[in-house]
Amino acid sequence: MIIKSADFVASSRLVKQCPAAALPEYAFIGRSNVGKSSLINKLVDRKGLAHTSSTPGKTQLINHFIVNGQWYLVDLPGYGYARSSKTKRAQFADIITGYITQREQLALLFVLVDSRHAPQHIDMDFITRLGEYGIPFAIVFTKADKLKPGELNRNVDAYKRTLLEQWEELPPVFVTSAEKGTGREELLSYIEKVNNSLAE
Ligand code: GTP
Ligand code: MG
């Protein structure tokens, strides 16, 4: 897919404040600092569109970006940042739960996990909840540039094995680097495919 335009639309705390247009949207979720905002920027090739930081807890609201005037990319706050205050964590959790359970335009949730780490409980628990809510999702490994290919493959395989302990079938899996652009084309093609299937 060719990206012709990508523009910021709105930041919202509540689903009822989110843009009203009936366009499909693709949201990025995962632990704080996993690379959600960076990957959104890489996908649309617009540095600084979504705000990033080396300090976890940067994205605090539901941020809508409209792409090619036809669909939204949605940047969400991260979950599970241990050093943020209890209040802040609870606020982020409320925003995330509200969004994933109430947003009718949500076409697919990309769950980002750091490719350097073994499966984490917090991500597995989150994925289990998605199953319970019946929310379509894909797994996106981030920061692939930080690993050697052998390590990367081992970690991805280990993750898939852990998922298969709970799921009969694997969700779509993507390996990405916002630094190098790895996986960009694959993610955009997948979004295009889902957009087309929704338009049928
Ligand atoms: P919150 O908004 O705080 O939840 O974080 P986030 O998930 O949006 O992460 P963000 O995109 O702000 O990136 C966090 C840090 O990781 C930044 O310092 C990025 O430069 C770095 N980073 C993100 N993606 C990559 C990547 O693919 N490779 C490398 N090497 N660094 C990355
Ligand atoms: Mg962010």
Side-chain angles (χ1 to χ4, degrees), residues 30-39 51-60 75-79 92 112 142-146 176-180:
R31 299 184 76 179
S32 292
N33 209 242
V34 71
K36 302 175 290 293
S37 305
S38 303
L39 192 58
H51 297 168
T52 66
S53 169
S54 55
T55 312
K58 178 71 180 171
T59 308
Q60 309 223 347
D75 195 12
L76 295 170
Y79 53 72
F92 287 3
L112 276 58
T142 64
K143 309 192 183 183
D145 57 284
K146 293 204 179 215
T176 69
S177 161
E179 196 72 27
K180 297 253 169 6

Coordinates of all heavy atoms in Angstrom, one line a residue, residues 30-39 51-60 75-79 92 112 142-146 176-180, ligand 1:
G30 N 0.4 -2.4 23.9 CA 1.5 -3.2 24.4 C 2.1 -2.4 25.6 O 1.6 -1.3 25.9
R31 N 3.1 -3.0 26.2 CA 3.7 -2.4 27.4 C 4.3 -1.0 27.0 O 4.7 -0.8 25.9 CB 4.8 -3.3 27.9 CG 4.4 -4.7 28.3 CD 5.5 -5.4 28.9 NE 5.8 -5.0 30.2 CZ 6.7 -5.5 31.0 NH1 7.5 -6.5 30.6 NH2 6.9 -5.0 32.2
S32 N 4.3 -0.2 28.0 CA 5.0 1.1 27.9 C 6.4 0.9 27.3 O 7.1 0.0 27.8 CB 5.0 1.8 29.2 OG 3.7 2.2 29.6
N33 N 6.8 1.7 26.3 CA 8.1 1.7 25.8 C 8.4 0.6 24.8 O 9.5 0.4 24.3 CB 9.2 1.6 26.9 CG 10.5 2.3 26.6 OD1 11.5 1.6 26.5 ND2 10.4 3.6 26.2
V34 N 7.4 -0.2 24.5 CA 7.6 -1.3 23.5 C 7.9 -0.9 22.1 O 8.5 -1.6 21.3 CB 6.4 -2.4 23.6 CG1 5.2 -1.8 22.9 CG2 6.8 -3.7 23.0
G35 N 7.4 0.4 21.8 CA 7.7 1.0 20.5 C 6.4 1.2 19.7 O 6.5 1.2 18.4
K36 N 5.3 1.4 20.3 CA 4.0 1.6 19.6 C 4.1 2.9 18.7 O 3.8 2.8 17.5 CB 2.9 1.7 20.6 CG 2.7 0.5 21.5 CD 1.6 0.7 22.5 CE 2.0 1.7 23.6 NZ 3.1 1.3 24.5
S37 N 4.4 4.0 19.3 CA 4.4 5.3 18.6 C 5.5 5.3 17.5 O 5.2 5.8 16.4 CB 4.6 6.4 19.6 OG 3.7 6.3 20.7
S38 N 6.6 4.7 17.8 CA 7.7 4.7 16.8 C 7.3 3.9 15.6 O 7.6 4.3 14.4 CB 9.0 4.0 17.4 OG 9.4 4.7 18.6
L39 N 6.6 2.8 15.8 CA 6.2 1.9 14.7 C 5.1 2.6 13.8 O 5.1 2.5 12.6 CB 5.7 0.5 15.2 CG 5.6 -0.5 14.1 CD1 6.8 -0.7 13.3 CD2 5.1 -1.8 14.7
H51 N 4.1 11.0 19.1 CA 5.2 11.4 20.0 C 5.8 10.2 20.7 O 5.1 9.3 21.2 CB 4.7 12.4 21.0 CG 4.2 13.7 20.4 ND1 3.5 14.6 21.1 CD2 4.3 14.1 19.1 CE1 3.2 15.6 20.2 NE2 3.7 15.3 19.1
T52 N 7.2 10.1 20.6 CA 7.9 9.0 21.2 C 8.8 9.5 22.3 O 9.1 10.7 22.4 CB 8.7 8.3 20.1 OG1 9.7 9.2 19.7 CG2 7.9 7.9 19.0
S53 N 9.3 8.6 23.1 CA 10.2 9.0 24.2 C 11.0 7.7 24.7 O 10.5 6.6 24.6 CB 9.5 9.6 25.3 OG 10.4 9.7 26.4
S54 N 12.2 8.0 25.1 CA 13.0 6.8 25.7 C 12.4 6.5 27.1 O 12.7 5.5 27.7 CB 14.5 7.1 25.7 OG 14.7 8.4 26.4
T55 N 11.7 7.4 27.7 CA 11.1 7.2 29.0 C 9.6 6.7 28.8 O 8.8 7.2 28.1 CB 10.9 8.6 29.8 OG1 12.2 9.2 29.7 CG2 10.6 8.3 31.2
P56 N 9.3 5.5 29.5 CA 8.0 4.9 29.3 C 6.9 5.8 29.8 O 7.2 6.7 30.7 CB 8.1 3.7 30.2 CG 9.5 3.4 30.5 CD 10.2 4.7 30.3
G57 N 5.7 5.7 29.3 CA 4.6 6.5 29.8 C 4.3 7.7 28.9 O 3.6 8.6 29.4
K58 N 4.9 7.8 27.7 CA 4.8 9.0 26.9 C 3.4 9.2 26.4 O 2.8 10.3 26.5 CB 5.8 8.9 25.7 CG 5.7 10.1 24.8 CD 6.3 11.3 25.4 CE 6.3 12.5 24.5 NZ 6.7 13.7 25.2
T59 N 2.8 8.2 25.7 CA 1.5 8.3 25.2 C 0.5 8.1 26.3 O 0.5 7.1 27.0 CB 1.3 7.3 24.1 OG1 2.4 7.4 23.1 CG2 0.0 7.5 23.3
Q60 N -0.4 9.1 26.5 CA -1.3 9.1 27.6 C -2.8 9.0 27.3 O -3.6 8.9 28.1 CB -1.0 10.3 28.5 CG 0.4 10.5 28.8 CD 0.7 10.8 30.3 OE1 -0.2 11.2 31.0 NE2 2.0 10.7 30.7
D75 N -2.9 5.3 18.2 CA -1.8 5.1 19.2 C -2.4 5.1 20.6 O -3.2 6.1 20.9 CB -0.8 6.2 19.0 CG 0.5 5.9 19.7 OD1 0.7 4.7 20.2 OD2 1.4 6.8 19.9
L76 N -2.2 4.1 21.4 CA -2.7 4.0 22.8 C -1.7 4.1 23.8 O -0.5 3.9 23.6 CB -3.4 2.7 22.9 CG -4.7 2.4 22.0 CD1 -5.1 0.9 22.1 CD2 -5.8 3.3 22.4
P77 N -2.1 4.5 25.1 CA -1.1 4.4 26.2 C -0.6 3.0 26.4 O -1.4 2.1 26.0 CB -1.9 4.9 27.4 CG -3.2 5.5 26.9 CD -3.4 4.8 25.5
G78 N 0.5 2.8 27.0 CA 1.0 1.5 27.3 C 0.5 1.0 28.6 O 0.0 1.7 29.4
Y79 N 0.6 -0.3 28.7 CA 0.2 -0.9 30.0 C 1.5 -1.4 30.8 O 2.5 -1.6 30.2 CB -0.8 -2.0 29.9 CG -0.5 -3.1 28.9 CD1 0.4 -4.1 29.2 CD2 -1.2 -3.3 27.8 CE1 0.7 -5.2 28.4 CE2 -1.0 -4.3 26.9 CZ 0.0 -5.3 27.2 OH 0.2 -6.3 26.3
F92 N -4.5 4.6 32.7 CA -4.2 4.0 31.4 C -5.0 2.7 31.2 O -5.5 2.5 30.1 CB -2.7 3.7 31.4 CG -1.8 4.9 31.2 CD1 -2.3 6.2 31.2 CD2 -0.4 4.7 31.0 CE1 -1.4 7.3 31.1 CE2 0.4 5.8 30.9 CZ -0.1 7.1 30.9
L112 N 1.8 -5.4 20.5 CA 3.3 -5.3 20.3 C 4.0 -5.9 21.5 O 3.7 -5.6 22.7 CB 3.7 -3.8 20.2 CG 3.6 -3.2 18.8 CD1 2.2 -3.3 18.2 CD2 4.1 -1.8 18.7
T142 N 8.7 -6.2 18.2 CA 9.3 -4.9 17.9 C 10.8 -5.0 18.2 O 11.3 -5.9 18.8 CB 8.7 -3.8 18.8 OG1 9.0 -4.1 20.2 CG2 7.2 -3.7 18.6
K143 N 11.5 -4.0 17.7 CA 12.9 -3.8 18.0 C 13.8 -4.9 17.5 O 14.8 -5.3 18.2 CB 13.2 -3.5 19.5 CG 12.3 -2.3 20.0 CD 12.7 -1.8 21.4 CE 11.7 -0.8 21.9 NZ 12.0 -0.1 23.2
A144 N 13.4 -5.5 16.4 CA 14.1 -6.7 15.8 C 15.6 -6.3 15.5 O 16.4 -7.2 15.5 CB 13.4 -7.2 14.6
D145 N 15.9 -5.0 15.3 CA 17.2 -4.6 15.0 C 18.2 -4.8 16.2 O 19.4 -4.8 16.0 CB 17.2 -3.1 14.6 CG 16.6 -2.2 15.6 OD1 15.4 -2.2 15.8 OD2 17.4 -1.6 16.3
K146 N 17.6 -5.0 17.3 CA 18.5 -5.2 18.5 C 19.0 -6.6 18.7 O 19.7 -6.9 19.7 CB 17.7 -4.7 19.8 CG 17.4 -3.2 19.8 CD 17.2 -2.7 21.2 CE 17.0 -1.2 21.2 NZ 17.6 -0.5 22.3
T176 N 9.1 -6.8 13.4 CA 9.3 -5.4 12.9 C 10.5 -4.7 13.6 O 10.9 -5.1 14.7 CB 8.1 -4.5 13.2 OG1 7.9 -4.3 14.6 CG2 6.8 -5.1 12.6
S177 N 11.0 -3.7 12.9 CA 11.9 -2.7 13.5 C 11.5 -1.3 13.0 O 11.5 -1.1 11.8 CB 13.3 -3.0 13.1 OG 14.2 -1.9 13.3
A178 N 11.2 -0.4 14.0 CA 10.9 0.9 13.6 C 12.2 1.7 13.2 O 12.1 2.7 12.5 CB 10.2 1.6 14.8
E179 N 13.3 1.1 13.6 CA 14.6 1.7 13.3 C 14.9 1.4 11.8 O 15.3 2.3 11.1 CB 15.6 1.0 14.2 CG 16.9 1.7 14.4 CD 16.9 3.0 15.2 OE1 16.0 3.1 16.0 OE2 17.7 3.9 14.9
K180 N 14.8 0.2 11.4 CA 15.2 -0.3 10.1 C 14.1 -0.4 9.1 O 14.3 -0.6 7.9 CB 15.9 -1.7 10.2 CG 17.2 -1.7 11.1 CD 18.3 -1.8 10.2 CE 19.7 -1.6 10.7 NZ 20.1 -1.4 12.0
Ligands
GTP1 P1 4.7 4.7 25.6 O1 4.0 5.7 24.7 O2 5.4 5.3 26.7 O3 3.7 3.6 26.0 O4 5.8 4.0 24.6 P2 5.8 3.4 23.2 O5 5.4 2.0 23.2 O6 4.9 4.3 22.3 O7 7.3 3.5 22.7 P3 8.1 4.6 21.8 O8 7.6 4.4 20.4 O9 7.9 5.9 22.5 O10 9.6 4.1 21.9 C1 10.2 3.8 23.1 C2 11.7 3.8 22.9 O11 12.1 2.7 22.1 C3 12.2 5.0 22.2 O12 13.5 5.4 22.7 C4 12.4 4.5 20.7 O13 13.4 5.2 20.0 C5 12.8 3.1 21.0 N1 12.4 2.2 19.9 C6 11.2 2.1 19.4 N2 11.1 1.2 18.4 C7 12.4 0.8 18.2 C8 13.1 -0.1 17.2 O14 12.4 -0.7 16.4 N3 14.4 -0.3 17.4 C9 15.1 0.4 18.3 N4 16.4 0.1 18.4 N5 14.6 1.2 19.2 C10 13.2 1.4 19.1

